[in-house]
mmCIF file of all heavy atoms in Angstrom:
data_model
loop_
_atom_site.group_PDB
_atom_site.id
_atom_site.type_symbol
_atom_site.label_atom_id
_atom_site.label_comp_id
_atom_site.label_asym_id
_atom_site.label_seq_id
_atom_site.Cartn_x
_atom_site.Cartn_y
_atom_site.Cartn_z
ATOM 1 N N SER A 1 32.196 72.465 -46.945
ATOM 2 C CA SER A 1 31.822 73.702 -47.618
ATOM 3 C C SER A 1 30.325 73.897 -47.588
ATOM 4 O O SER A 1 29.836 75.012 -47.480
ATOM 5 C CB SER A 1 32.336 73.711 -49.066
ATOM 6 O OG SER A 1 31.701 72.697 -49.816
ATOM 7 N N ALA A 2 29.530 72.836 -47.653
ATOM 8 C CA ALA A 2 28.072 72.968 -47.590
ATOM 9 C C ALA A 2 27.652 73.464 -46.212
ATOM 10 O O ALA A 2 26.783 74.304 -46.087
ATOM 11 C CB ALA A 2 27.411 71.631 -47.899
ATOM 12 N N GLY A 3 28.297 72.963 -45.142
ATOM 13 C CA GLY A 3 27.962 73.407 -43.797
ATOM 14 C C GLY A 3 28.267 74.879 -43.607
ATOM 15 O O GLY A 3 27.506 75.609 -43.012
ATOM 16 N N THR A 4 29.371 75.331 -44.149
ATOM 17 C CA THR A 4 29.739 76.737 -44.032
ATOM 18 C C THR A 4 28.758 77.607 -44.786
ATOM 19 O O THR A 4 28.306 78.627 -44.291
ATOM 20 C CB THR A 4 31.167 76.965 -44.581
ATOM 21 O OG1 THR A 4 32.054 76.121 -43.865
ATOM 22 C CG2 THR A 4 31.591 78.400 -44.438
ATOM 23 N N ALA A 5 28.387 77.193 -45.975
ATOM 24 C CA ALA A 5 27.474 77.994 -46.786
ATOM 25 C C ALA A 5 26.120 78.120 -46.112
ATOM 26 O O ALA A 5 25.571 79.207 -46.018
ATOM 27 C CB ALA A 5 27.312 77.379 -48.175
ATOM 28 N N SER A 6 25.565 77.034 -45.591
ATOM 29 C CA SER A 6 24.242 77.116 -44.980
ATOM 30 C C SER A 6 24.298 77.925 -43.686
ATOM 31 O O SER A 6 23.365 78.627 -43.366
ATOM 32 C CB SER A 6 23.671 75.719 -44.733
ATOM 33 O OG SER A 6 24.457 75.029 -43.793
ATOM 34 N N ALA A 7 25.388 77.838 -42.935
ATOM 35 C CA ALA A 7 25.501 78.621 -41.709
ATOM 36 C C ALA A 7 25.551 80.108 -42.033
ATOM 37 O O ALA A 7 25.024 80.923 -41.299
ATOM 38 C CB ALA A 7 26.749 78.199 -40.937
ATOM 39 N N ASP A 8 26.179 80.477 -43.148
ATOM 40 C CA ASP A 8 26.262 81.876 -43.527
ATOM 41 C C ASP A 8 24.950 82.398 -44.095
ATOM 42 O O ASP A 8 24.601 83.538 -43.901
ATOM 43 C CB ASP A 8 27.365 82.093 -44.580
ATOM 44 C CG ASP A 8 28.755 81.892 -43.995
ATOM 45 O OD1 ASP A 8 28.873 81.931 -42.749
ATOM 46 O OD2 ASP A 8 29.691 81.692 -44.765
ATOM 47 N N VAL A 9 24.206 81.561 -44.793
ATOM 48 C CA VAL A 9 22.995 82.011 -45.471
ATOM 49 C C VAL A 9 21.851 82.236 -44.497
ATOM 50 O O VAL A 9 21.141 83.220 -44.588
ATOM 51 C CB VAL A 9 22.577 80.992 -46.563
ATOM 52 C CG1 VAL A 9 21.218 81.324 -47.132
ATOM 53 C CG2 VAL A 9 23.617 80.967 -47.668
ATOM 54 N N THR A 10 21.650 81.362 -43.525
ATOM 55 C CA THR A 10 20.500 81.450 -42.643
ATOM 56 C C THR A 10 20.453 82.767 -41.870
ATOM 57 O O THR A 10 19.476 83.485 -41.968
ATOM 58 C CB THR A 10 20.454 80.246 -41.683
ATOM 59 O OG1 THR A 10 20.417 79.061 -42.477
ATOM 60 C CG2 THR A 10 19.227 80.303 -40.802
ATOM 61 N N PRO A 11 21.499 83.144 -41.118
ATOM 62 C CA PRO A 11 21.411 84.412 -40.395
ATOM 63 C C PRO A 11 21.276 85.616 -41.327
ATOM 64 O O PRO A 11 20.543 86.531 -41.044
ATOM 65 C CB PRO A 11 22.716 84.487 -39.608
ATOM 66 C CG PRO A 11 23.196 83.087 -39.519
ATOM 67 C CD PRO A 11 22.707 82.421 -40.768
ATOM 68 N N ARG A 12 21.969 85.598 -42.461
ATOM 69 C CA ARG A 12 21.901 86.714 -43.389
ATOM 70 C C ARG A 12 20.481 86.860 -43.921
ATOM 71 O O ARG A 12 19.960 87.935 -44.054
ATOM 72 C CB ARG A 12 22.894 86.503 -44.536
ATOM 73 C CG ARG A 12 23.137 87.753 -45.329
ATOM 74 C CD ARG A 12 24.236 87.576 -46.355
ATOM 75 N NE ARG A 12 25.423 86.977 -45.787
ATOM 76 C CZ ARG A 12 26.119 86.007 -46.363
ATOM 77 N NH1 ARG A 12 25.760 85.515 -47.516
ATOM 78 N NH2 ARG A 12 27.190 85.521 -45.796
ATOM 79 N N SER A 13 19.834 85.755 -44.225
ATOM 80 C CA SER A 13 18.479 85.772 -44.741
ATOM 81 C C SER A 13 17.526 86.361 -43.698
ATOM 82 O O SER A 13 16.699 87.184 -44.013
ATOM 83 C CB SER A 13 18.043 84.358 -45.121
ATOM 84 O OG SER A 13 16.704 84.358 -45.492
ATOM 85 N N CYS A 14 17.655 85.927 -42.458
ATOM 86 C CA CYS A 14 16.779 86.413 -41.392
ATOM 87 C C CYS A 14 17.059 87.881 -41.082
ATOM 88 O O CYS A 14 16.182 88.721 -41.195
ATOM 89 C CB CYS A 14 16.964 85.562 -40.145
ATOM 90 S SG CYS A 14 15.971 86.102 -38.745
ATOM 91 N N TYR A 15 18.285 88.205 -40.700
ATOM 92 C CA TYR A 15 18.606 89.579 -40.335
ATOM 93 C C TYR A 15 18.608 90.504 -41.544
ATOM 94 O O TYR A 15 18.409 91.701 -41.408
ATOM 95 C CB TYR A 15 19.947 89.640 -39.600
ATOM 96 C CG TYR A 15 19.943 88.889 -38.289
ATOM 97 C CD1 TYR A 15 21.049 88.169 -37.880
ATOM 98 C CD2 TYR A 15 18.827 88.891 -37.463
ATOM 99 C CE1 TYR A 15 21.053 87.472 -36.680
ATOM 100 C CE2 TYR A 15 18.816 88.188 -36.270
ATOM 101 C CZ TYR A 15 19.930 87.487 -35.885
ATOM 102 O OH TYR A 15 19.916 86.804 -34.697
ATOM 103 N N GLY A 16 18.809 89.945 -42.724
ATOM 104 C CA GLY A 16 18.743 90.742 -43.945
ATOM 105 C C GLY A 16 17.349 91.276 -44.206
ATOM 106 O O GLY A 16 17.172 92.273 -44.890
ATOM 107 N N SER A 17 16.342 90.624 -43.637
ATOM 108 C CA SER A 17 14.958 91.086 -43.794
ATOM 109 C C SER A 17 14.526 91.991 -42.642
ATOM 110 O O SER A 17 13.353 92.351 -42.539
ATOM 111 C CB SER A 17 14.019 89.881 -43.886
ATOM 112 O OG SER A 17 13.999 89.160 -42.664
ATOM 113 N N ALA A 18 15.464 92.365 -41.770
ATOM 114 C CA ALA A 18 15.133 93.179 -40.594
ATOM 115 C C ALA A 18 14.562 94.536 -40.999
ATOM 116 O O ALA A 18 14.926 95.108 -42.021
ATOM 117 C CB ALA A 18 16.371 93.377 -39.725
ATOM 118 N N LYS A 19 13.666 95.027 -40.149
ATOM 119 C CA LYS A 19 13.027 96.331 -40.352
ATOM 120 C C LYS A 19 13.319 97.210 -39.150
ATOM 121 O O LYS A 19 13.541 96.714 -38.046
ATOM 122 C CB LYS A 19 11.509 96.153 -40.461
ATOM 123 C CG LYS A 19 11.079 95.229 -41.550
ATOM 124 C CD LYS A 19 9.590 94.977 -41.475
ATOM 125 C CE LYS A 19 9.234 93.985 -42.567
ATOM 126 N NZ LYS A 19 7.903 93.557 -42.555
ATOM 127 N N ASN A 20 13.273 98.499 -39.366
ATOM 128 C CA ASN A 20 13.364 99.437 -38.246
ATOM 129 C C ASN A 20 12.050 99.381 -37.471
ATOM 130 O O ASN A 20 10.990 99.182 -38.054
ATOM 131 C CB ASN A 20 13.610 100.860 -38.742
ATOM 132 C CG ASN A 20 14.981 101.020 -39.345
ATOM 133 O OD1 ASN A 20 15.948 100.424 -38.906
ATOM 134 N ND2 ASN A 20 15.073 101.820 -40.384
ATOM 135 N N PHE A 21 12.134 99.557 -36.165
ATOM 136 C CA PHE A 21 10.915 99.642 -35.373
ATOM 137 C C PHE A 21 11.065 100.725 -34.316
ATOM 138 O O PHE A 21 12.173 101.089 -33.931
ATOM 139 C CB PHE A 21 10.563 98.296 -34.714
ATOM 140 C CG PHE A 21 11.280 98.051 -33.412
ATOM 141 C CD1 PHE A 21 10.680 98.375 -32.204
ATOM 142 C CD2 PHE A 21 12.553 97.509 -33.389
ATOM 143 C CE1 PHE A 21 11.334 98.154 -31.003
ATOM 144 C CE2 PHE A 21 13.217 97.279 -32.197
ATOM 145 C CZ PHE A 21 12.609 97.604 -31.002
ATOM 146 N N SER A 22 9.949 101.254 -33.895
ATOM 147 C CA SER A 22 9.890 102.224 -32.816
ATOM 148 C C SER A 22 8.554 102.013 -32.109
ATOM 149 O O SER A 22 7.518 101.866 -32.765
ATOM 150 C CB SER A 22 9.988 103.649 -33.378
ATOM 151 O OG SER A 22 9.978 104.581 -32.325
ATOM 152 N N THR A 23 8.572 101.967 -30.792
ATOM 153 C CA THR A 23 7.340 101.688 -30.056
ATOM 154 C C THR A 23 6.490 102.940 -29.886
ATOM 155 O O THR A 23 6.988 104.057 -29.855
ATOM 156 C CB THR A 23 7.640 101.106 -28.675
ATOM 157 O OG1 THR A 23 8.427 102.043 -27.944
ATOM 158 C CG2 THR A 23 8.360 99.787 -28.779
ATOM 159 N N THR A 24 5.200 102.712 -29.783
ATOM 160 C CA THR A 24 4.234 103.745 -29.423
ATOM 161 C C THR A 24 3.505 103.213 -28.198
ATOM 162 O O THR A 24 2.949 102.111 -28.256
ATOM 163 C CB THR A 24 3.228 103.987 -30.570
ATOM 164 O OG1 THR A 24 3.964 104.353 -31.727
ATOM 165 C CG2 THR A 24 2.230 105.063 -30.214
ATOM 166 N N ASN A 25 3.537 103.931 -27.108
ATOM 167 C CA ASN A 25 2.927 103.460 -25.859
ATOM 168 C C ASN A 25 3.443 102.077 -25.460
ATOM 169 O O ASN A 25 2.685 101.222 -25.027
ATOM 170 C CB ASN A 25 1.400 103.453 -25.964
ATOM 171 C CG ASN A 25 0.846 104.837 -26.150
ATOM 172 O OD1 ASN A 25 1.358 105.797 -25.580
ATOM 173 N ND2 ASN A 25 -0.185 104.963 -26.964
ATOM 174 N N LYS A 26 4.733 101.839 -25.677
ATOM 175 C CA LYS A 26 5.429 100.613 -25.289
ATOM 176 C C LYS A 26 4.957 99.375 -26.054
ATOM 177 O O LYS A 26 5.175 98.252 -25.608
ATOM 178 C CB LYS A 26 5.305 100.383 -23.786
ATOM 179 C CG LYS A 26 5.834 101.525 -22.945
ATOM 180 C CD LYS A 26 5.615 101.220 -21.484
ATOM 181 C CE LYS A 26 5.897 102.436 -20.639
ATOM 182 N NZ LYS A 26 5.526 102.225 -19.248
ATOM 183 N N VAL A 27 4.313 99.562 -27.203
ATOM 184 C CA VAL A 27 3.828 98.433 -28.001
ATOM 185 C C VAL A 27 4.299 98.599 -29.436
ATOM 186 O O VAL A 27 4.347 99.710 -29.962
ATOM 187 C CB VAL A 27 2.279 98.365 -27.968
ATOM 188 C CG1 VAL A 27 1.763 97.256 -28.879
ATOM 189 C CG2 VAL A 27 1.784 98.143 -26.553
ATOM 190 N N TRP A 28 4.648 97.458 -30.073
ATOM 191 C CA TRP A 28 4.970 97.471 -31.496
ATOM 192 C C TRP A 28 4.314 96.267 -32.140
ATOM 193 O O TRP A 28 4.388 95.171 -31.588
ATOM 194 C CB TRP A 28 6.477 97.391 -31.739
ATOM 195 C CG TRP A 28 6.758 97.432 -33.206
ATOM 196 C CD1 TRP A 28 6.958 98.545 -33.962
ATOM 197 C CD2 TRP A 28 6.822 96.327 -34.108
ATOM 198 N NE1 TRP A 28 7.128 98.191 -35.276
ATOM 199 C CE2 TRP A 28 7.049 96.830 -35.393
ATOM 200 C CE3 TRP A 28 6.680 94.950 -33.958
ATOM 201 C CZ2 TRP A 28 7.157 96.008 -36.514
ATOM 202 C CZ3 TRP A 28 6.781 94.128 -35.062
ATOM 203 C CH2 TRP A 28 7.031 94.670 -36.339
ATOM 204 N N PRO A 29 3.710 96.378 -33.311
ATOM 205 C CA PRO A 29 3.360 97.640 -33.964
ATOM 206 C C PRO A 29 2.246 98.349 -33.205
ATOM 207 O O PRO A 29 1.595 97.745 -32.362
ATOM 208 C CB PRO A 29 2.909 97.206 -35.355
ATOM 209 C CG PRO A 29 2.462 95.790 -35.219
ATOM 210 C CD PRO A 29 3.256 95.209 -34.083
ATOM 211 N N ALA A 30 2.050 99.612 -33.526
ATOM 212 C CA ALA A 30 1.063 100.422 -32.816
ATOM 213 C C ALA A 30 -0.332 99.811 -32.969
ATOM 214 O O ALA A 30 -0.703 99.340 -34.043
ATOM 215 C CB ALA A 30 1.075 101.853 -33.343
ATOM 216 N N TYR A 31 -1.084 99.805 -31.871
ATOM 217 C CA TYR A 31 -2.454 99.291 -31.882
ATOM 218 C C TYR A 31 -3.272 100.080 -32.898
ATOM 219 O O TYR A 31 -3.107 101.278 -32.987
ATOM 220 C CB TYR A 31 -3.057 99.419 -30.475
ATOM 221 C CG TYR A 31 -4.471 98.903 -30.393
ATOM 222 C CD1 TYR A 31 -4.703 97.552 -30.246
ATOM 223 C CD2 TYR A 31 -5.550 99.764 -30.496
ATOM 224 C CE1 TYR A 31 -5.997 97.059 -30.190
ATOM 225 C CE2 TYR A 31 -6.849 99.284 -30.448
ATOM 226 C CZ TYR A 31 -7.061 97.926 -30.301
ATOM 227 O OH TYR A 31 -8.341 97.450 -30.263
ATOM 228 N N PRO A 32 -4.105 99.483 -33.681
ATOM 229 C CA PRO A 32 -4.618 98.112 -33.690
ATOM 230 C C PRO A 32 -3.903 97.212 -34.702
ATOM 231 O O PRO A 32 -4.454 96.198 -35.122
ATOM 232 C CB PRO A 32 -6.075 98.300 -34.091
ATOM 233 C CG PRO A 32 -6.018 99.420 -35.092
ATOM 234 C CD PRO A 32 -4.915 100.332 -34.593
ATOM 235 N N ASN A 33 -2.702 97.553 -35.114
ATOM 236 C CA ASN A 33 -1.971 96.779 -36.128
ATOM 237 C C ASN A 33 -1.332 95.529 -35.540
ATOM 238 O O ASN A 33 -1.072 95.457 -34.337
ATOM 239 C CB ASN A 33 -0.892 97.653 -36.771
ATOM 240 C CG ASN A 33 -1.483 98.852 -37.478
ATOM 241 O OD1 ASN A 33 -2.457 98.728 -38.199
ATOM 242 N ND2 ASN A 33 -0.912 100.019 -37.245
ATOM 243 N N TRP A 34 -1.060 94.589 -36.410
ATOM 244 C CA TRP A 34 -0.372 93.356 -36.073
ATOM 245 C C TRP A 34 0.799 93.173 -37.024
ATOM 246 O O TRP A 34 0.751 93.612 -38.161
ATOM 247 C CB TRP A 34 -1.287 92.141 -36.267
ATOM 248 C CG TRP A 34 -2.455 92.062 -35.348
ATOM 249 C CD1 TRP A 34 -3.658 92.686 -35.507
ATOM 250 C CD2 TRP A 34 -2.559 91.307 -34.155
ATOM 251 N NE1 TRP A 34 -4.496 92.363 -34.475
ATOM 252 C CE2 TRP A 34 -3.846 91.505 -33.626
ATOM 253 C CE3 TRP A 34 -1.680 90.469 -33.472
ATOM 254 C CZ2 TRP A 34 -4.271 90.907 -32.455
ATOM 255 C CZ3 TRP A 34 -2.119 89.870 -32.308
ATOM 256 C CH2 TRP A 34 -3.404 90.089 -31.803
ATOM 257 N N ALA A 35 1.839 92.504 -36.579
ATOM 258 C CA ALA A 35 2.900 92.029 -37.467
ATOM 259 C C ALA A 35 2.568 90.567 -37.764
ATOM 260 O O ALA A 35 1.847 89.927 -36.997
ATOM 261 C CB ALA A 35 4.253 92.143 -36.782
ATOM 262 N N THR A 36 3.086 90.032 -38.867
ATOM 263 C CA THR A 36 2.825 88.639 -39.235
ATOM 264 C C THR A 36 4.151 87.932 -39.475
ATOM 265 O O THR A 36 4.988 88.427 -40.242
ATOM 266 C CB THR A 36 1.943 88.563 -40.497
ATOM 267 O OG1 THR A 36 0.731 89.301 -40.257
ATOM 268 C CG2 THR A 36 1.588 87.124 -40.824
ATOM 269 N N THR A 37 4.345 86.805 -38.814
ATOM 270 C CA THR A 37 5.594 86.064 -38.959
ATOM 271 C C THR A 37 5.793 85.610 -40.404
ATOM 272 O O THR A 37 4.838 85.422 -41.142
ATOM 273 C CB THR A 37 5.629 84.838 -38.022
ATOM 274 O OG1 THR A 37 4.509 83.994 -38.313
ATOM 275 C CG2 THR A 37 5.613 85.254 -36.569
ATOM 276 N N THR A 38 7.051 85.486 -40.797
ATOM 277 C CA THR A 38 7.419 85.127 -42.166
ATOM 278 C C THR A 38 8.320 83.892 -42.152
ATOM 279 O O THR A 38 8.844 83.525 -41.099
ATOM 280 C CB THR A 38 8.185 86.280 -42.844
ATOM 281 O OG1 THR A 38 9.467 86.403 -42.205
ATOM 282 C CG2 THR A 38 7.432 87.600 -42.765
ATOM 283 N N PRO A 39 8.565 83.293 -43.312
ATOM 284 C CA PRO A 39 9.502 82.172 -43.360
ATOM 285 C C PRO A 39 10.970 82.613 -43.279
ATOM 286 O O PRO A 39 11.862 81.780 -43.255
ATOM 287 C CB PRO A 39 9.199 81.511 -44.709
ATOM 288 C CG PRO A 39 8.547 82.548 -45.534
ATOM 289 C CD PRO A 39 7.859 83.475 -44.578
ATOM 290 N N ASN A 40 11.231 83.917 -43.210
ATOM 291 C CA ASN A 40 12.607 84.417 -43.141
ATOM 292 C C ASN A 40 13.327 84.005 -41.866
ATOM 293 O O ASN A 40 14.532 83.790 -41.869
ATOM 294 C CB ASN A 40 12.638 85.939 -43.251
ATOM 295 C CG ASN A 40 12.120 86.434 -44.568
ATOM 296 O OD1 ASN A 40 12.087 85.709 -45.549
ATOM 297 N ND2 ASN A 40 11.683 87.674 -44.601
ATOM 298 N N CYS A 41 12.616 83.951 -40.754
ATOM 299 C CA CYS A 41 13.228 83.666 -39.451
ATOM 300 C C CYS A 41 12.396 82.636 -38.697
ATOM 301 O O CYS A 41 11.176 82.627 -38.814
ATOM 302 C CB CYS A 41 13.295 84.928 -38.595
ATOM 303 S SG CYS A 41 14.143 86.325 -39.340
ATOM 304 N N ALA A 42 13.051 81.831 -37.883
ATOM 305 C CA ALA A 42 12.346 80.867 -37.041
ATOM 306 C C ALA A 42 11.922 81.497 -35.715
ATOM 307 O O ALA A 42 11.133 80.925 -34.980
ATOM 308 C CB ALA A 42 13.237 79.664 -36.773
ATOM 309 N N ASP A 43 12.449 82.682 -35.419
ATOM 310 C CA ASP A 43 12.177 83.376 -34.160
ATOM 311 C C ASP A 43 11.787 84.813 -34.454
ATOM 312 O O ASP A 43 11.961 85.298 -35.562
ATOM 313 C CB ASP A 43 13.440 83.404 -33.281
ATOM 314 C CG ASP A 43 14.095 82.044 -33.138
ATOM 315 O OD1 ASP A 43 13.366 81.068 -32.948
ATOM 316 O OD2 ASP A 43 15.335 81.976 -33.226
ATOM 317 N N VAL A 44 11.305 85.521 -33.425
ATOM 318 C CA VAL A 44 11.132 86.967 -33.511
ATOM 319 C C VAL A 44 12.370 87.557 -32.843
ATOM 320 O O VAL A 44 12.585 87.383 -31.642
ATOM 321 C CB VAL A 44 9.836 87.443 -32.828
ATOM 322 C CG1 VAL A 44 9.745 88.961 -32.845
ATOM 323 C CG2 VAL A 44 8.613 86.812 -33.502
ATOM 324 N N ASN A 45 13.207 88.212 -33.642
ATOM 325 C CA ASN A 45 14.497 88.744 -33.191
ATOM 326 C C ASN A 45 14.440 90.263 -33.085
ATOM 327 O O ASN A 45 13.929 90.917 -33.990
ATOM 328 C CB ASN A 45 15.585 88.358 -34.196
ATOM 329 C CG ASN A 45 15.637 86.859 -34.402
ATOM 330 O OD1 ASN A 45 16.162 86.144 -33.585
ATOM 331 N ND2 ASN A 45 15.062 86.392 -35.505
ATOM 332 N N VAL A 46 14.976 90.796 -32.001
ATOM 333 C CA VAL A 46 14.945 92.238 -31.771
ATOM 334 C C VAL A 46 16.339 92.721 -31.395
ATOM 335 O O VAL A 46 17.028 92.097 -30.591
ATOM 336 C CB VAL A 46 13.951 92.599 -30.639
ATOM 337 C CG1 VAL A 46 13.917 94.104 -30.404
ATOM 338 C CG2 VAL A 46 12.558 92.063 -30.947
ATOM 339 N N LYS A 47 16.736 93.838 -31.990
ATOM 340 C CA LYS A 47 17.980 94.520 -31.642
ATOM 341 C C LYS A 47 17.580 95.915 -31.176
ATOM 342 O O LYS A 47 17.369 96.825 -31.974
ATOM 343 C CB LYS A 47 18.905 94.592 -32.853
ATOM 344 C CG LYS A 47 20.274 95.138 -32.551
ATOM 345 C CD LYS A 47 21.144 95.067 -33.807
ATOM 346 C CE LYS A 47 22.537 95.526 -33.557
ATOM 347 N NZ LYS A 47 23.361 95.451 -34.770
ATOM 348 N N ALA A 48 17.405 96.064 -29.868
ATOM 349 C CA ALA A 48 16.889 97.306 -29.289
ATOM 350 C C ALA A 48 18.013 98.302 -29.002
ATOM 351 O O ALA A 48 19.125 97.906 -28.660
ATOM 352 C CB ALA A 48 16.132 97.000 -28.000
#
């Protein structure tokens, strides 16, 4: 049960923090802005 719970929590936590994005001149975020990685995800995940 602990393995099931942790497997369910991790993806939900990461994708649950997902934001909408849209590129400007093929770049995100728009220059001169930067995004900053968070402890929510171990990777930068994109659903285009």
